[in-house]
DNA sequence: CATCACATGTTATACTATAACGAGAAGCGA
DNA sequence: TCGCTTCTCGTTATAGTATAACATGTGATG
């Protein structure tokens, strides 16, 4: 089971790799990876943490890249639609995807204290629900799996 | 695996039973099942559907049971905290619980068309996530599992 | 170079939720 | 019964999240 999140890791490399994947993905799919979109992804990547749309907007505004809500929501829509970021429903917030390119049914571990988000690229978590759905003739199109709790670091601190 | 939702069923009985369970639960736990709280639960029970807080508020307002947002949010907090209702994160909306009394880690099937919500009282859906969390030393406190798609009826209609 | 699709800028507004304060009502021990 | 605490309720104001709608710009393609 792949992982990433609550460990120390070479973060600048982690950012770089993801940005590279993103560029490639956009080239492949003929998508426009504009400055705004690029910057929003960078902002998300800076922290393995869920950021609210307005938090991101503040940064963009400081940098002169857009000052109104639609700006950031459009960039986020783009990133989410193309699998470069995910929306965390539980928090009305957004995180960079840490498994670009694999088409995934992600599950998230959300620390309620430090808001760090760890993504499991696993469709496994969903098969039980799938089974249940089948019984009822329900056609699943998307599954949200979000676990909230305490990450190792915050767990110790407490 | 227990179920309920996309079938025809004796709805008035289904409401009555749930209200009875709620009354009993409140007596047992010495909770005050006030008129407002009771009415909000009834409103939720009327439909196996996720209702927004303001939708509920409209009904309350028409009936003179409260006109301001805090009224409905307080009632919903009470119901959710005591397991009589659930919040659907995906929709920022609320549904009556269909498995009162069992302490559950519910999973939901949400029809994106008719907004009907079916609740599976299953901690099964979560075990995979639990495994993943264990690996990472994460302490899970709550898991949100919400599947979105098309229910049998809407599936046929399409 | 005309045009079409898409990206951006901007204003206004809708929807969701909570903070904060004061007044009433119920439970409980002295 | 009194006084205390705790919970419930009413109300105002405001915070936080998201989108509709319309105008403008820009780049790719035929």
């Amino acid at each position: 089971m792949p992982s990433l999140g609550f460990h120390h890791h070479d973060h600048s490399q982690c950012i770089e790799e993801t940005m590279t994947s993103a560029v490639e993905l956009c080239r492949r799919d003929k998508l426009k990876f504009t400055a705004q979109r690029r910057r929003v992804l960078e902002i998300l990547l800076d922290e393995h943490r869920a950021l609210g749309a307005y938090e991101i907007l503040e940064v963009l505004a400081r940098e002169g890249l857009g000052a109104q809500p639609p700006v950031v929501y459009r960039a986020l829509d783009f990133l989410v639609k193309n699998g470069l970021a995910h929306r965390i429903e539980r928090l009305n917030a957004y995180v960079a995807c840490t498994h670009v390119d694999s088409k995934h049914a992600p599950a998230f571990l959300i620390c309620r204290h430090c808001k760090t988000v760890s993504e499991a690229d696993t469709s496994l978590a969903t098969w039980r629900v799938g089974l249940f759905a089948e019984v009822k003739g329900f056609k699943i199109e998307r599954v949200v799996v979000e676990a909230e709790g305490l990450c190792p670091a915050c767990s110790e601190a407490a």
Side-chain angles (χ1 to χ4, degrees), chain A residues 19-120:
Chain A
M19 290 305 293
T20 305
S21 303
V23 169
E24 272 168 24
L25 182 147
C26 288
R27 174 157 38 218
R28 177 163 60 75
D29 293 358
K30 303 213 186 300
L31 301 169
K32 293 178 191 169
F33 200 38
T34 64
Q36 274 182 348
R37 292 167 177 179
R38 181 186 181 86
R39 189 66 190 114
V40 169
L41 182 54
E42 281 172 358
I43 292 167
L44 287 175
L45 276 169
D46 268 347
E47 317 183 41
H48 288 293
R49 193 168 75 79
L51 294 179
Y54 282 73
E55 273 183 281
I56 297 166
L57 183 55
E58 269 180 34
V59 179
L60 289 184
R62 273 202 299 279
E63 300 174 353
L65 280 170
Q68 286 72 32
V71 168
V72 68
Y73 280 103
R74 288 199 278 233
L76 287 169
D77 282 350
F78 172 87
L79 295 173
V80 168
K81 185 160 57 174
N82 296 109
L84 296 168
H86 299 291
R87 176 180 163 83
I88 305 296
E89 302 293 344
R90 179 75 183 94
L91 304 176
N92 297 329
Y94 304 81
V95 286
C97 175
T98 53
H99 301 100
V100 179
D101 73 322
S102 56
K103 45 200 156 315
H104 38 225
F108 300 98
L109 301 181
I110 306 163
C111 177
R112 70 165 150 79
H113 188 250
C114 67
K115 298 251 193 290
T116 294
V117 172
S118 173
E119 176 184 351

Side-chain angles (χ1 to χ4, degrees), chain A residues 121-156:
Chain A
D121 179 11
T122 171
S123 48
L124 297 170
T126 65
W127 72 269
R128 263 298 184 183
V129 192
L131 191 60
F132 176 65
E134 224 169 75
V135 170
K136 315 193 71 174
F138 188 97
K139 275 193 203 154
I140 291 184
E141 294 168 345
R142 179 173 176 244
V143 179
V144 172
V145 179
E146 295 174 359
E148 204 176 12
L150 278 183
C151 74
C154 293
S155 206
E156 277 175 28

